[in-house]
Amino acid sequence: MGLCARSRGTAAVVAAAMSCSVLPWTTAGATVPDTRVVAEPTTSESTSPPASPTEDEVLEAQAAAAAVAKQVADITTKVELAGARLLALQRGVAASVEAEERARQQLADADEGLKQANAQLVTALGDRDDADRALSSTAADMYMQGGALHDLATLLLAPPALLSDLGVVLEHQAIDARETVAAATSAAADAASQERRLAAARASRASAVEAVVSSRADAEAQAALAGAEAATLGAQQETLTTQLARLEQGAADLVEQREAAARLAETGLIGVQAAGGSESGPGAAREVAGAMLAAYGWGSTEFSCLDELWHGESGWSWSATNSSSGAYGIPQSLPGWKMASAGSDWLTNPATQIRWGLDYIDGRYGSPCEAHSQWLGRSPHWY
């Protein structure tokens, strides 16, 4: 059986419908009278366009979205300020860590310097002790040598040259001993002074370490508080942004519903059900179609095309009837009884109409997107 597409509400539509009429069946040359009956919508079906949101409802939804948009803008400003403050605090933490590392290194250097000074002091004190012992030894030697000469007679009888040489030797020994002791004493004093200076420097470095450790702890505490604040504001921003998207989508949906109702009213469709929660309403029909698509190997992209196509054709209403051409149902079959090939309940069962419509699209166009493309390219639309 040939499948005929249809358009809406023009003389061309009527002509197309007439040209697509099915002739009476013939069998073995005999003509069988055409006894087809085109079913009319039941008395329970509404003959008014689908209920659409009022202009006040649309404005109210848009106002709600605008109010949340302002909240999003306000909290976004707070998030940016909190982020800037947190960045400054993070840099402060980094600087305090660097300062602490530097102070600790200086303290380590001071410890090393103090250790070396202690070693130098020990060495200097040892040198001084050695000098003291050398001086004592020299004095003992002089005493011993002088004791050997205590005999006056021996001293008087000694040759003059011997006495002169002995005096020179003793004098040089005394000078050397005094110089050694003086140098050792000076070195010990210098080492002790250096030790005191380095000890004071070390104490200063230790205080500096304590200060920078305290500063780092304060910076980290402030950064932690700022981070928690930024996280809280970020969560609020995300919640409000999600709410805004939902409200904006809701407002857009209301606008689309008003426009769709206006379009359907212009096409001359009657018996169109309002979008709602009915088990046989447009929403349920869309779910049925979505479940059927997998059997044809079509995915979500194809469903998007099908959704737009049948939304434009019938608003997904199983009772939608074109008052001009008589096209019927969700796929707007022309004539409507063609859908009987999918089931005898084609008049009232959305699933039967959808199954027939998908078979038609598959056989005629190969996919919903191709059918939709052809539909868009025709004015007035038909497929």
Side-chain angles (χ1 to χ4, degrees), residues 68-346:
V68 175
K70 183 179 183 307
Q71 293 181 27
V72 170
D74 291 343
I75 202 167
T76 298
T77 299
K78 293 180 180 179
V79 169
E80 291 174 351
L81 292 175
R85 186 163 68 91
L86 179 59
L87 178 59
L89 289 172
Q90 288 172 341
R91 289 173 176 168
V93 170
S96 65
V97 170
E98 182 178 358
E100 180 181 345
E101 292 299 322
R102 185 165 54 250
R104 289 189 182 279
Q105 183 58 51
Q106 291 173 349
L107 178 59
D109 294 342
D111 285 337
E112 181 62 26
L114 184 58
K115 180 180 178 181
Q116 293 178 359
N118 284 330
Q120 292 173 358
L121 178 59
V122 170
T123 300
L125 292 174
D127 291 344
R128 189 191 64 183
D129 291 343
D130 291 343
D132 286 340
R133 285 192 292 272
L135 180 60
S136 298
S137 177
T138 300
D141 289 344
M142 292 175 66
Y143 174 78
M144 292 300 295
Q145 292 176 15
L149 298 177
H150 68 279
D151 187 283
L152 180 60
T154 304
L155 180 62
L156 293 174
L157 296 175
L162 176 61
L163 292 175
S164 176
D165 291 341
L166 179 58
V168 170
V169 170
L170 292 176
E171 182 180 2
H172 280 295
Q173 288 179 341
I175 292 173
D176 290 340
R178 285 195 299 270
E179 289 178 350
T180 299
V181 172
T185 301
S186 177
D190 290 342
S193 176
Q194 177 69 3
E195 182 187 31
R196 287 191 296 272
R197 287 196 300 271
L198 291 178
R202 197 269 177 196
S204 175
R205 296 290 184 262
S207 297
V209 169
E210 292 179 0
V212 295
V213 167
S214 177
S215 175
R216 173 180 172 178
D218 290 342
E220 289 177 349
Q222 293 181 33
L225 291 175
E229 178 185 350
T232 299
L233 289 173
Q236 294 175 358
Q237 180 190 40
E238 184 176 353
T239 299
L240 286 174
T241 300
T242 301
Q243 181 181 357
L244 174 61
R246 184 169 61 251
L247 290 174
E248 288 178 338
Q249 184 61 51
D253 289 344
L254 291 179
V255 172
E256 182 180 354
Q257 289 174 24
R258 283 178 57 82
E259 293 175 348
R263 288 196 301 269
L264 290 175
E266 293 174 357
T267 63
L269 289 178
I270 61 174
V272 179
Q273 303 131 12
S278 171
E279 293 182 357
S280 60
R286 291 178 73 256
E287 292 181 3
V288 170
M292 288 186 180
L293 249 61
Y296 295 84
W298 299 330
S300 59
T301 300
E302 294 295 334
F303 180 77
S304 297
C305 294
L306 180 70
D307 189 21
E308 292 184 16
L309 174 63
W310 282 354
H311 181 78
E313 284 290 301
S314 63
W316 285 90
S317 172
W318 59 264
S319 58
T321 300
N322 189 297
S323 59
S324 175
S325 68
Y328 184 74
I330 293 172
Q332 286 291 277
S333 171
L334 182 62
W337 55 259
K338 284 185 177 182
M339 293 185 290
S341 62
S344 60
D345 57 352
W346 61 272

